[in-house]
Amino acid sequence: MSSSPLKIVVGIAGASGALYAKQLLDFLKTTDHFVEIVASDNAKIVWADELGSRLEDCGFKVYSKKNFKAPFASGSAKYDQMVIIPCSMGTLGRIAHGISDDLMTRAADVFLKEKRKLILVPRDRKST
């Protein structure tokens, strides 16, 4: 049984844990899903620091957090799912309080409003 390809938005916030996003993107490359990325400026820096490469070279289209013309900024674009991995606590807090001050939080608001799947993968700190 085969399923239809999904339209997926991957958000990458500036928390440490770029490896988690890379593993997800590497998996998604093996599928027929349509994937687009929105990343914060800090996410691009953390990606380079933790992985030694540029996020823009990951094989998917990457949108700036300031680009409100991205198709998934509107509910009419009919994307199926969004995952923010890793999700910084600041991003999680802005989503929880409806503060849509960049493309990532705007898209999350759209997914919530349209009752589409939104997955947040926060990085938590282990106490030492």
Side-chain angles (χ1 to χ4, degrees):
M1 166 179 11
S2 67
S3 60
S4 299
L6 299 173
K7 290 176 73 175
I8 302 171
V9 178
V10 175
I12 305 173
S16 66
L19 181 61
Y20 299 120
K22 183 179 184 319
Q23 288 175 333
L24 174 63
L25 294 174
D26 287 346
F27 168 75
L28 289 170
K29 285 180 192 175
T30 69
T31 71
D32 292 330
H33 301 310
F34 177 78
V35 178
E36 293 186 313
I37 297 170
V38 56
S40 70
D41 296 338
N42 285 339
K44 293 174 185 177
I45 293 167
V46 171
W47 183 283
D49 288 347
E50 292 183 353
L51 302 175
S53 63
R54 290 175 1 111
L55 174 59
E56 292 81 1
D57 297 332
C58 73
F60 296 107
K61 183 167 184 171
V62 179
Y63 288 89
S64 160
K65 70 175 189 165
K66 297 175 186 170
N67 184 352
F68 283 87
K69 291 184 178 182
F72 49 85
S74 169
S76 63
K78 305 293 184 202
Y79 281 72
D80 299 296
Q81 298 178 5
M82 180 177 188
V83 59
I84 302 178
I85 180 171
C87 183
S88 67
M89 290 296 107
T91 300
L92 188 148
R94 286 190 299 280
I95 292 168
H97 292 281
I99 301 169
S100 303
D101 60 350
D102 62 20
L103 177 58
M104 193 173 327
T105 53
R106 166 64 186 162
D109 281 353
V110 166
F111 277 75
L112 289 170
K113 177 181 69 89
E114 298 290 328
K115 296 183 176 27
R116 297 183 187 147
K117 187 173 283 190
L118 173 63
I119 301 166
L120 305 180
V121 183
R123 290 280 295 142
D124 64 356
R125 293 177 87 172
K126 292 184 178 181
S127 58
T128 56

